[in-house]
Each structure stands twice: as structure tokens, then as C-alpha cells.
Amino acid sequence: MWERIAEELPRFFTYYNVIFFLKAMFTTFLLSLVGCLLGSVMGGVLAVIKITKSNLLRPLRIAAVVYVEFFRRIPFLVTLLLIFFVFQALGLEVSVFTVAVVSVWIIATAFIAEIVRSGLEAVPKTQWEAAEVLNFNLRQTLKMVILPQAWKVILPPAFSFFVLFIKDTALASQIGVVELTYSAKVLNNKGFSAALAFGFVLLLYYTISYPLTKFGTWMEKKIEIS
Amino acid sequence: MKYLSIDQCDAFYGDQKVLECVSLDVDKGDVVSLIGPSGSGKSTLLRVLVGLNQPTSGRILLEGEAIDYKNRRSLKKARERFAIVFQQYNLFQNMTVLKNVTVAPVKIQGRPKKEVEAEAVLLLEKVGLGEKLKSYPDELSGGQQQRVAIARSLALKPEILLLDEVTSALDPELVTEVLDTIRLLAKEGRTMIIVSHEMGFVLEVSSKIAFMDAGRIIEVGEPRKILEQPDTDRAREFMGKILRH
């Protein structure tokens, strides 16, 4: 096997192949980043809706619970295909990349919503009460009292979710998104050995996710200090 | 017209009735103490006043005007006039002592930061914590935290101060420093409703004592009378038990 890889190497790292891989890596990166960022925003909103108490927001609260419970329970691949066919059925001409981003967004929303909710609930109820009797509204309570205390509970699981999810974006190759896994498949089909093609992609995945983990640790430290 | 009038209030925790037909009048400058066994509804009554528990029936009138606890504006107005200090202090853990005291006047009431901070420093000096402005709550002792909590509630210039067992989470040694602070406030003629188990202290500062049991106010009257010669058997039994130790 090693001899074969050694023989293939010069042909493997041609200018065009490297560009192809870097583009695919950027796609994986962008897919994870945009999907998870949008998912974090929406997840945060859902989490806040879920902890409200007013009767007026009850329908929204139920919708949030149904959403979260539903999308946390179906496999990512199923969501991906579902969104793919929904776009098709609606006759919307969108790229497969957009389909993949929307799918990541939908799933990330559901997971992040639960992570944020448990973080908010980890702050003692008495902190809410103290803010309430001082006439803080919901936004002020969250911003000035609850979130500053909840971050350290939210961040570790959130980052571990992001890291996990970068790997799951590989499934987007199933609908034809040219991301890292897809690019390895292409080169494998061109005749390069699987060990080389997928082995190299493995390194590239690592290059994306390792700095993210480091960034997460850095953020946690920073919050610990402040 | 009474200054503060609690008129036949009921309140529930879930299905359980925790206040039953509670009525109590408070005059301006009064220091009213609520005493009675645990679970008798003393703390609940304070929580009802600030709207942390909603009264299910009855009315609470401030200078003749009923507070509508279901109406946000009415509740907000009421909360500007009441301030509550909790048994567990409930200081904001993510803020310094000074920030804890100034955050509501500055961010919520929109008063100028400089002016509020100057007042806050004076208040904190008054409760003996002028040196601790930059400390965080978890760096302070319980007694110190409780005095910060009192300063925080005073910074809002409330008309009526509600103190919910403010010394029961403290070491005996620390109780004195908090009680001294409250004595000071009583001397200034501030209207207060105090829930406390410190009978000697209650006798000293109160203008009126209400004895509660099982969600009801059983007896109200002069401090000495309630503590030493109560009319009801239940109150006599309670006083007998606590005065024995």
C-alpha cells in the first residue's frame, strides 16, 4: 500500500487537485460556519421562547418544543433529503449548497436551543426574581444578569456540538455538495487509492476542527476570568 | 385612608392555599414585624406585595389605590415603591458590589450614573462596606452580602422596605451587623415590613407585630402585648416555645 501511495503522491498533489481540495475544504468550513451561526441565533431565540411564562406566548412555546423535539430526533441525512425534496416540490431553484446550509441551520437550531435552555436554567431562579422585583424586563434580565452567568454552562457543550457537526456535514456529499468528503470520493474515482484520498481529507477535517476546539477553550477561559 | 392596606388576600402555591384572607394595615413610618412558625405565610405575604406571587383574591391598596398585579404598568409602579431584601441576598453574582447597587437606578430608572454612584458609595459606607466597592459577591461573607442587598434596595429610594428573614442565613456573629443596619433604618422613620425570628430585635424595632399561622394573621397588636400576653391560644403556645430557649 505504501509503495502505491508513494507512487501516486506526485500526481495527487497537482496544482488543480490542491485547489480542488481547498475549495472543498472552504465549502465544508462555510457550510458548518453559516449553518451553525444561523442555528445559534435561532436556537437562542427558541431557548428564550421556551423559558417564557406568559400565557400569550403559549402557542409559540408549544411550537418551539415540537420543533426541538422533532429535529433532534431525526437523522441529519433524512433532514437533508427532506429539505432537498421540499425545495424541489416547491419549484425553488436553489443550489445544493443552499439546501445543505438550510439543513445544517435547522438541525443546529434544535440542538443549540436545548444547550442554551439548559444553560439559562442553570442560573438560580432567585437571580431572576431579584431582577424582576428591580423592574428589569426580560431582555434586560437576560442581557445583564442571566447570560453573563449562563455562558460558562452554554459554551462547552455548544463547541462540542459544533465540532461534532463539522463531521456530519460530510453527509451533504449525498446530495452532491462538493465538500471535503465529496472531493475525496472524486479523486478516489479518478483512480487514486482510497487510503490517500480519504487520508488526506481526514487531515483537512482536523485542520478545521482543531482550531475550533482551541477557540472554544480560549473563550471558556476568557469568560472564567471576566 | 391607610398608607398601605392589605385587604383579605388569598394566595396559592399550585393547589395549596398559602395565604388565607390576610388583612393588614401599615401606616407611614411603621415598622411591622411578621412572626410565626415556618410555613405560616410570612414570606409569601412579602412576595405577594412585590408581585412574585399573585394574590388570587383580595386587594392591596397603596394610599387608597389598588395595585393591579395582572397589569404590567401597575405592577411596575408598585415595584418602584416597594423594595424587598431576600433571605439568601440574591445579589447578582456577575457584578461588583457597586454595580449591584447602581445597576437598577442607572439602567432601569435611567438616572445619571455619576449621581447614582455617589449615592451608592454613601449607602455602602452607611452599611459599613465602603471598602468593598470593587469586590464580587462570592468574595464577601454572608453578613456583608446581606448588607449589600440592603444597600441595593435602598438605592432605588423605595417607600416601603420588605425584609424577608434577612438574618436567618447568617452566622450568629454576622447577625448583629445586619440588625444594626436595620435599626438605623428604623430610626430614620422608614416604613418597613420585617419577617424575622429574632424576637428581641423585633420587640425593639417594631411599632406593630402580626402573628401568622397556617396562612392567616391570627393576631395583630403592640409588640409587647403580642410577645408577652397574646390573646389567642395558638400565639401563646408559639411564644411559650420560643421564649423558653
Side-chain angles (χ1 to χ4, degrees):
Chain A
M1 186 181 84
W2 295 112
E3 281 157 34
R4 195 178 149 198
I5 289 176
E7 184 265 323
E8 282 174 6
L9 267 182
R11 277 185 294 131
F12 189 78
F13 286 110
T14 60
Y15 175 72
Y16 288 105
N17 281 355
V18 170
I19 293 291
F20 181 59
F21 273 122
L22 287 181
K23 271 186 166 170
M25 183 173 162
F26 184 66
T27 305
T28 291
F29 177 72
L30 207 63
L31 184 58
S32 316
L33 183 78
V34 177
C36 286
L37 276 184
L38 290 174
S40 298
V41 174
M42 275 276 285
V45 172
L46 286 196
V48 171
I49 288 174
K50 278 181 82 170
I51 57 160
T52 55
K53 301 249 158 27
S54 95
N55 280 330
L56 221 66
L57 293 177
R58 203 182 152 84
L60 269 182
R61 222 157 33 232
I62 292 171
V65 171
V66 170
Y67 180 97
V68 170
E69 292 308 312
F70 185 71
F71 282 106
R72 282 204 316 158
R73 276 170 176 71
I74 55 174
F76 180 54
L77 185 57
V78 176
T79 315
L80 200 63
L81 294 171
L82 194 72
I83 300 301
F84 185 73
F85 290 118
V86 164
F87 272 119
Q88 250 183 7
L90 294 174
L92 292 168
E93 294 272 334
V94 296
S95 65
V96 281
F97 177 75
T98 312
V99 171
V101 167
V102 171
S103 308
V104 175
W105 179 10
I106 284 174
I107 296 291
T109 298
F111 279 91
I112 299 291
E114 270 313 274
I115 291 172
V116 175
R117 182 196 56 78
S118 64
L120 296 181
E121 285 180 355
V123 179
K125 215 182 96 202
T126 49
Q127 294 281 305
W128 289 88
E129 289 183 347
E132 193 185 335
V133 296
L134 293 173
N135 267 333
F136 283 55
N137 61 29
L138 179 64
R139 194 183 56 81
Q140 291 163 327
T141 308
L142 283 170
K143 191 179 143 209
M144 293 190 260
V145 179
I146 305 301
L147 276 177
Q149 298 182 60
W151 280 128
K152 61 173 186 278
V153 186
I154 293 173
L155 282 184
F159 272 94
S160 104
F161 169 78
F162 294 151
V163 170
L164 270 176
F165 216 68
I166 289 175
K167 299 182 296 178
D168 272 4
T169 59
L171 289 167
S173 61
Q174 294 292 319
I175 57 166
V177 178
V178 188
E179 44 68 72
L180 275 179
T181 306
Y182 191 96
S183 69
K185 263 198 257 177
V186 168
L187 288 217
N188 185 214
N189 288 342
K190 275 188 180 169
F192 290 103
S193 60
L196 181 60
F198 288 102
F200 182 57
V201 156
L202 188 137
L203 270 178
L204 294 182
Y205 270 115
Y206 190 82
T207 340
I208 300 179
S209 86
Y210 186 69
L212 183 69
T213 313
K214 281 280 152 200
F215 178 65
T217 321
W218 176 79
M219 288 259 290
E220 284 162 36
K221 280 236 176 69
K222 210 181 145 196
I223 273 163
E224 202 67 52
I225 291 161
S226 67
Chain B
M1 184 180 67
K2 287 289 172 185
Y3 180 54
L4 169 68
S5 183
I6 301 163
D7 183 21
Q8 301 185 11
C9 277
D10 286 355
F12 286 81
Y13 274 132
D15 290 334
Q16 204 191 344
K17 202 168 198 175
V18 285
L19 283 188
E20 201 170 337
C21 203
V22 167
S23 297
L24 183 68
D25 289 330
V26 179
D27 286 322
K28 203 160 191 158
D30 259 356
V31 176
V32 178
S33 292
L34 305 176
I35 62 170
S38 298
S40 58
K42 310 178 299 287
S43 296
T44 308
L45 182 54
L46 297 191
R47 290 172 62 87
V48 164
L49 286 173
V50 292
L52 285 175
N53 286 78
Q54 301 263 338
T56 48
S57 66
R59 294 183 311 164
I60 292 163
L61 302 124
L62 250 175
E63 292 181 304
E65 200 179 321
I67 300 167
D68 179 0
Y69 284 96
K70 298 220 156 44
N71 178 306
R72 280 176 68 149
R73 192 174 302 158
S74 173
L75 180 56
K76 204 174 166 202
K77 254 173 72 187
R79 282 177 174 160
E80 281 167 7
R81 305 178 72 176
F82 286 115
I84 186 166
V85 181
F86 300 95
Q87 182 179 357
Q88 296 292 342
Y89 350 119
N90 302 359
L91 293 178
F92 299 128
Q93 297 297 318
N94 57 314
M95 300 179 194
T96 60
V97 165
L98 186 63
K99 189 81 195 287
N100 259 289
V101 178
T102 57
V103 64
V106 174
K107 302 279 183 186
I108 311 299
Q109 297 184 331
R111 292 173 47 206
K113 193 174 171 192
K114 277 221 174 92
E115 178 192 314
V116 172
E117 275 186 0
E119 277 179 23
V121 171
L122 287 180
L123 274 173
L124 285 163
E125 277 168 2
K126 187 163 131 190
V127 298
L129 290 169
E131 309 291 307
K132 299 284 183 187
L133 303 181
K134 295 271 174 287
S135 305
Y136 281 88
D138 59 5
E139 297 162 355
L140 302 179
S141 72
Q144 289 170 331
Q145 289 195 51
Q146 193 57 285
R147 283 181 285 153
V148 175
I150 292 173
R152 175 172 72 176
S153 57
L154 291 177
L156 289 160
K157 306 187 173 171
E159 295 170 35
I160 303 168
L161 191 60
L162 311 173
L163 303 171
D164 185 9
E165 296 193 38
V166 290
T167 57
S168 45
L170 304 177
D171 276 314
E173 272 187 303
L174 303 175
V175 169
T176 320
E177 59 189 44
V178 173
L179 292 187
D180 283 344
T181 303
I182 301 171
R183 271 190 199 100
L184 204 66
L185 298 173
K187 271 199 203 106
E188 289 173 359
R190 195 175 285 274
T191 312
M192 290 194 272
I193 305 178
I194 300 174
V195 172
S196 180
H197 292 296
E198 309 282 340
M199 291 306 155
F201 171 72
V202 158
L203 182 64
E204 174 197 333
V205 298
S206 310
S207 46
K208 190 151 99 174
I209 291 184
F211 173 73
M212 292 186 75
D213 186 42
R216 294 166 165 277
I217 290 184
I218 308 266
E219 221 178 315
V220 190
E222 294 282 311
R224 200 159 286 280
K225 168 152 193 328
I226 298 289
L227 290 184
E228 288 167 8
Q229 294 157 322
D231 291 330
T232 56
D233 289 344
R234 183 66 190 96
R236 246 195 306 273
E237 182 195 350
F238 179 77
M239 301 311 160
K241 273 181 193 152
I242 55 161
L243 293 178
R244 237 180 284 140
H245 59 242

